[in-house]
Amino acid sequence: PAMLALALATDVDACHRSRFFGADGVCLAPSSPWSELADAAKATRMVPIARVSSVAEAQQAAALGARAVVLLADEPTLFADAARVLPRNVTLVAWLAAPTAETLRVLLGVADAAIVPAALHRAADFADLLRELDP
């Protein structure tokens, strides 16, 4: 499995630290010096991923060349809104503060992936949920 550093990397050193600690992908803000930080991530064989909190920021990230977007939102409907406006070649990763099995089911067919907290991973029925959502 791939590991994603969810903390925003705000400079080149932060990108390097993410790689040092084993990240395969690093989150960047679209408002950061995107090109410089994305190049630093790629130079260390990581995927630069935009971390956003709105559909407008997701669009901004795609315009900058982001191939993946982590959208942090409280409302599952925002993911559908983002999926409608993002280019098809941009991977949409859903990050809900407290996802449940029900909210993950809502994301099926909308988001390409979801960040799932450890508590949900430890649930007795998580393996069944995973088989249901990712056959």
Side-chain angles (χ1 to χ4, degrees), residues 8 10 13 19 30-31 36 44 46 53 66 77 80 90 97-98 100 103 115 127 130-131:
L8 283 174
T10 57
D13 287 340
R19 188 60 172 159
S31 60
E36 176 188 359
T44 60
M46 287 189 298
S53 58
T77 58
V90 174
T100 64
T103 56
I115 296 170
L130 189 57
R131 278 191 292 278

Side-chain angles (χ1 to χ4, degrees), residues 12-112:
V12 171
D13 287 340
C15 288
H16 292 163
R17 274 192 303 281
S18 295
R19 188 60 172 159
F20 176 80
F21 287 106
D24 300 298
V26 62
C27 285
L28 309 173
S31 60
S32 70
W34 179 267
S35 294
E36 176 188 359
L37 297 181
D39 288 347
K42 291 174 192 174
T44 60
R45 303 178 81 84
M46 287 189 298
V47 177
I49 300 173
R51 193 180 94 187
V52 301
S53 58
S54 71
V55 174
E57 283 183 318
Q59 288 179 296
Q60 177 189 3
L64 290 169
R67 299 295 305 247
V69 173
V70 172
L71 175 56
L72 175 58
D74 291 329
E75 179 55 46
T77 58
L78 284 181
F79 301 106
D81 295 342
R84 274 192 292 280
V85 299
L86 286 174
R88 289 191 147 317
N89 67 340
V90 174
T91 300
L92 176 60
V93 180
W95 186 8
L96 284 159
T100 64
E102 292 75 30
T103 56
L104 290 175
R105 286 183 184 102
V106 169
L107 297 175
L108 188 61
V110 174
D112 299 296

